[in-house]
Amino acid sequence: MSVIQITDLNDPQLDIYARLSEGQLLHYYEPDLGIFIAESPKVIQTAFEQGYEPISFLVEDRHIKTQAKDIILQYQDIPVYTASFDVLKQLTGFGFTRGMLCAMRRKPLPALETICDHAKRIVILENVMNPTNVGAIFRSAAALNMDAILLSKGCSDPLYRRSVRVSMGTVFQIPWTFLGDDTWPADGMHRLKELGYKNVAMALTDRSVSIDDEALMSEDKLAIILGTEGDGLCQETIDACDYTVKIPMAHGVDSLNVAAASAVAFWQLAKRK
């Protein structure tokens, strides 16, 4: 294996881990696809299994021959930068999970129609900007039988490091894509209706039905739309939906965080055999 001991924190080869923003990583090879950072051996291995290719590894020295070993041996020609925990924390600004980061190349995103092929329950995220919430929603969607996720342009990128980490690698397992050049909600919702979906707004309004509504539960194909933290869905989206749905609450609580609400919604609305 190609192990390189870090002696210079200003080494340009380490910029992708230490000095470039998520946006700069996204556009790293522009006009070609950019890169992202995955964290922890388990998450990195999940990415490999879904066809993502490594560029380099950054590994705490004590893990080279332990929990990082099997990952590194799969790609012995890929550089492995290493140092002690204190040096790596100084370099990156944080103590990363289980002592390992991996810079990876992005893959082309699939088309909406490809994402929706054979999918009965899909998730739409509208302007969900917090990467922690995006990662948590992906994890719930994968665990609770959602088939795919679509994101509006205003959403945080699912491949930002924090989203990948919080998702526990499920961003690599469940199909997803951005809505692209579609005007949301008008064009995007129209395309979903043409594909046979009933659009479901998760929102509190006077016409909201309970999440266990019989008609809602009987629908063959649902697109479950979740809005940004605090403000929720825009009114235009709510007005254009086939259903507006609420989660019954107790003790005077009016709503849940979007990540928590997503788990409840996915559990109830998933098509279960």
Side-chain angles (χ1 to χ4, degrees), residues 236-255:
E236 184 182 359
T237 299
I238 296 172
D239 291 343
C241 278
D242 301 287
Y243 293 92
T244 306
V245 174
K246 63 182 177 181
I247 299 170
M249 301 283 172
H251 301 293
V253 177
D254 62 352
S255 63

Side-chain angles (χ1 to χ4, degrees), residues 104-217:
M104 296 189 178
R105 294 183 181 272
R106 288 174 176 259
K107 297 196 302 184
L109 292 176
L112 182 149
E113 286 76 13
T114 301
I115 286 285
C116 293
D117 190 29
H118 303 301
K120 297 292 188 178
R121 295 290 188 265
I122 64 172
V123 180
I124 316 294
L125 302 186
E126 180 184 276
N127 302 331
V128 179
M129 296 171 282
N130 186 311
T132 298
N133 282 336
V134 170
I137 292 169
F138 266 77
R139 189 173 183 182
S140 294
L144 299 173
N145 293 310
M146 296 293 105
D147 298 313
I149 298 178
L150 304 174
L151 303 97
S152 74
K153 285 184 175 180
C155 288
S156 177
D157 192 308
L159 293 185
Y160 283 175
R161 184 186 64 84
R162 188 164 182 81
S163 291
V164 173
R165 181 171 67 82
V166 172
S167 81
M168 290 298 294
T170 54
V171 293
F172 308 124
Q173 296 174 307
I174 187 168
W176 64 272
T177 195
F178 279 96
L179 287 163
D181 294 329
D182 283 340
T183 300
W184 178 264
D187 291 345
M189 293 180 71
H190 177 71
R191 290 177 70 187
L192 291 171
K193 287 186 177 183
E194 287 188 325
L195 292 171
Y197 292 95
K198 296 293 186 179
N199 290 308
V200 178
M202 298 298 301
L204 295 171
T205 72
D206 292 338
R207 67 184 184 94
S208 295
V209 300
S210 176
I211 197 169
D212 60 357
D213 178 78
E214 186 175 343
L216 172 67
M217 294 295 297

Side-chain angles (χ1 to χ4, degrees), residues 69-87:
K69 179 180 177 181
D70 290 343
I71 294 284
I72 296 169
L73 288 177
Q74 293 177 58
Y75 294 91
Q76 297 193 45
D77 58 338
I78 299 297
V80 181
Y81 297 98
T82 187
S84 67
F85 175 86
D86 290 340
V87 171

